């Protein structure tokens, strides 16, 4: 049986004026999963619990059982994952729960249905009404959290809709996953499954909330133009007027037969927008020799081949640059980053860094940040003690 919690967060919850969030990971084979989760979650007196597990079928039942034991009015929101980030770093075969104390957090939840069909006008009306009724206290930190269906393939439009509807609001999030099976994902609110939907939360807190983003790639001089594509299915058909997979293999210097997720993770395609590089991660090779992506793509897009930079020290430096040590970092980390770390033998090193900075969350099929849907990136929200003047 495995049961762990972020001890420093629990300690802060007992010693600080503002109760701090807690996180706990429990192996799904634990015969008393709910009891093991509750022993840590109840320390926070939560108004919100986030649940992440790669076994989607367990989520709804777990949330119902937790709701029966947690304080009345506690929102329990979750989604399926491609792996979890718990108090000891990367984990698998677990359920990871984050408890946000009602004494220092306030939350609202809305379900954006039919993500696959992108009903943008309907979403906009719903989001405006939702924000108006939430009536955020602008003296506190306020941000949005998006848990999208990673198989609906329309996170780009969804994030752009949020940006247009709520300009200036920091929004982070992750695309719900299904391990490495790329099948059906699940989103859950208070025991009710919402397949094919995106969950959007408005969260208000007394803590200082600081956005974190890190990608471990830089662009090389090798460029390719998308000369044919299937945008609806996020598939590149041709690069440089050649079959996409063949041209990608040539640019990467690897054989066509060796194109696997670990190789995609080492050699990403990069889109330059303004001064930012955005990863266009490859999910797989189609039967016709195309490249299926995890983000949108259009004909005429210029892409560069990426090269790996330091995956661990760079992340530790980014976290160390925060104004103060975080009590918790709610984190969303692309599954392809995890695969790259595993291939490089650096998974344990990254797990130690996650534990040091109290990162908790899940591995995704894509990340949402700054009005963009990105891949092979870590995005998060760090909760910092307020600076004492």
């Amino acid at each position: 049986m495995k049961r762990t919690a972020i001890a420093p967060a629990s300690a802060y919850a007992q010693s600080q004026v503002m109760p701090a969030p807690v996180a706990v990971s429990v192996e799904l084979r634990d015969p008393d999963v709910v009891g093991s989760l509750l022993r840590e979650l109840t320390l926070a007196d939560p108004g919100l619990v986030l649940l992440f597990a790669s076994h989607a079928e367990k989520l709804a039942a777990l949330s119902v059982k937790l709701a029966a034991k947690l304080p009345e009015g506690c929102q329990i929101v979750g989604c399926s994952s491609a792996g979890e980030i718990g108090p000891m770093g990367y984990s698998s075969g677990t359920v990871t729960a984050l408890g946000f104390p009602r004494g220092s957090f306030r939350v609202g939840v809305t379900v954006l249905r039919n993500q696959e069909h992108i009903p943008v006008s309907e979403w906009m009306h719903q989001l405006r009404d939702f924000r108006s009724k939430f009536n955020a206290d602008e003296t506190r930190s306020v941000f949005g959290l998006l848990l999208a269906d990673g198989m609906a393939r329309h996170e780009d439009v969804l994030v752009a809709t949020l940006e247009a509807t709520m300009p200036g609001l920091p929004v982070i999030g992750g695309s719900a996953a299904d391990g490495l099976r790329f099948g059906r994902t699940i989103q859950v609110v208070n025991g009710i499954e919402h397949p094919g939907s995106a969950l959007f939360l408005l969260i208000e807190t007394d803590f200082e909330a600081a956005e974190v983003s890190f990608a471990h790639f830089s662009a090389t001089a090798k460029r390719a133009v998308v000369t044919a594509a299937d945008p609806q299915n996020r598939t590149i058909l041709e690069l440089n007027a050649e079959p996409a997979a063949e041209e990608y293999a040539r640019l990467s210097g690897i054989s066509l037969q060796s194109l696997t997720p670990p190789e995609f993770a080492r050699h990403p395609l990069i889109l330059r927008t303004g001064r930012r590089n955005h990863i266009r991660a490859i999910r797989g090779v189609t039967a016709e020799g195309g490249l299926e992506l995890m983000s949108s793509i259009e004909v005429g897009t210029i892409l560069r081949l990426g090269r790996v930079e330091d995956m661990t020290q760079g992340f530790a430096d980014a976290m160390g640059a925060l104004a103060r040590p975080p009590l918790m970092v709610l984190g969303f980390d692309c599954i392809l980053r995890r695969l790259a770390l595993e291939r490089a033998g650096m998974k344990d090193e990254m797990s130690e860094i996650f534990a040091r900075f109290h990162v908790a969350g899940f591995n995704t099929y894509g990340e949402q940040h700054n009005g963009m849907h990105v891949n092979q990136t870590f995005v998060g929200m760090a909760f910092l003690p307020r600076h004492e003047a």
Side-chain angles (χ1 to χ4, degrees):
M1 182 182 76
K2 179 180 178 182
R3 180 173 62 86
T4 53
I6 296 180
S10 298
Y12 270 109
Q14 296 171 12
S15 64
Q16 300 291 310
V17 174
M18 292 186 294
V22 300
V24 55
S25 286
V26 178
E27 289 186 350
L28 285 167
R29 65 184 181 183
D30 182 341
D32 186 22
V33 174
V34 173
S36 297
L37 290 171
L38 286 170
R39 275 188 282 275
E40 300 298 336
L41 291 174
T42 52
L43 294 174
D45 184 26
L48 167 67
V49 170
L50 296 177
L51 284 180
F52 307 122
S54 55
H55 292 271
E57 69 279 2
K58 308 253 186 198
L59 277 177
L62 277 174
S63 65
V64 169
K65 291 176 181 177
L66 284 172
K69 301 290 185 180
L70 287 168
E72 185 177 355
C74 178
Q75 299 271 20
I76 304 174
V77 180
C79 69
S80 53
S81 71
E84 298 77 57
I85 306 170
M88 303 304 293
Y90 286 129
S91 63
S92 299
T94 65
V95 56
T96 293
L98 285 65
F100 297 86
R102 65 180 68 245
S104 48
F105 288 83
R106 186 169 73 91
V107 63
V109 186
T110 191
V111 180
L112 301 172
R113 304 183 190 281
N114 301 317
Q115 187 183 323
E116 183 178 2
H117 302 293
I118 50 176
V120 173
S121 179
E122 177 184 322
W123 285 345
M124 284 187 161
H125 288 297
Q126 179 179 341
L127 287 166
R128 290 190 181 107
D129 183 60
F130 174 56
R131 187 171 192 179
S132 174
K133 290 178 178 176
F134 187 76
N135 192 25
D137 180 353
E138 299 300 333
T139 66
R140 307 173 86 198
S141 298
V142 182
F143 67 95
L145 171 60
L146 180 65
L147 301 177
D149 176 3
M151 295 303 297
R153 303 183 180 185
H154 290 301
E155 296 100 317
D156 308 88
V157 177
L158 180 58
V159 175
T161 301
L162 282 165
E163 179 78 2
T165 309
M166 302 186 181
L169 178 75
V171 176
I172 64 163
S175 298
D178 179 39
L180 287 175
R181 298 175 292 271
F182 295 99
R184 180 173 178 265
T185 74
I186 286 293
Q187 299 76 43
V188 174
V189 179
N190 299 326
I192 300 174
E193 295 184 12
H194 297 280
S197 299
L199 311 180
F200 182 68
L201 290 74
L202 279 172
I203 300 175
E204 180 184 290
T205 178
D206 292 313
F207 292 108
E208 181 181 338
E211 295 176 78
V212 180
S213 177
F214 176 75
H216 59 278
F217 293 100
S218 61
T220 69
K222 294 182 178 180
R223 294 195 292 181
V225 179
V226 178
T227 48
D230 176 0
Q232 183 173 354
N233 292 307
R234 292 178 169 176
T235 301
I236 303 175
L237 304 176
E238 291 183 359
L239 284 172
N240 296 335
E242 298 288 345
E246 291 182 16
E247 182 67 357
Y248 169 79
R250 185 188 71 79
L251 291 169
S252 303
I254 55 180
S255 69
L256 190 61
Q257 294 72 30
S258 299
L259 296 183
T260 59
E263 292 298 337
F264 299 146
R266 292 178 59 223
H267 305 283
L269 296 171
I270 294 178
L271 170 66
R272 183 76 171 173
T273 305
R275 297 183 179 181
R276 292 179 177 270
N277 288 329
H278 300 288
I279 308 298
R280 287 296 182 254
I282 303 168
R283 191 168 86 178
V285 177
T286 68
E288 297 76 23
L291 294 175
E292 188 177 7
L293 305 188
M294 290 179 163
S295 296
S296 65
I297 196 66
E298 299 287 343
V299 173
T301 302
I302 299 173
L303 300 169
R304 292 197 179 203
L305 194 70
R307 97 174 127 241
V308 176
E309 302 288 350
D310 189 287
M311 288 187 280
T312 55
Q313 187 56 50
F315 181 82
D317 290 344
M319 298 301 295
L322 292 168
R324 288 170 296 286
L327 302 179
M328 177 187 281
V329 180
L330 170 58
F332 305 99
D333 193 38
C334 185
I335 182 56
L336 292 181
R337 268 181 40 83
R338 178 167 174 165
L339 290 174
L341 286 159
E342 289 175 351
R343 182 183 178 90
M346 302 172 74
K347 176 185 168 185
D348 290 346
E349 186 177 345
M350 181 58 80
S351 287
E352 187 279 326
I353 296 171
F354 281 157
R356 188 194 323 163
F357 290 102
H358 312 314
V359 178
F362 75 98
N363 292 114
T364 74
Y365 283 173
E367 304 74 56
Q368 282 64 253
H369 181 244
N370 267 347
M372 291 284 293
H373 171 62
V374 296
N375 303 122
Q376 283 179 262
T377 302
F378 174 95
V379 304
M381 190 65 73
F383 303 110
L384 316 178
R386 289 286 184 184
H387 179 67
E388 296 294 335

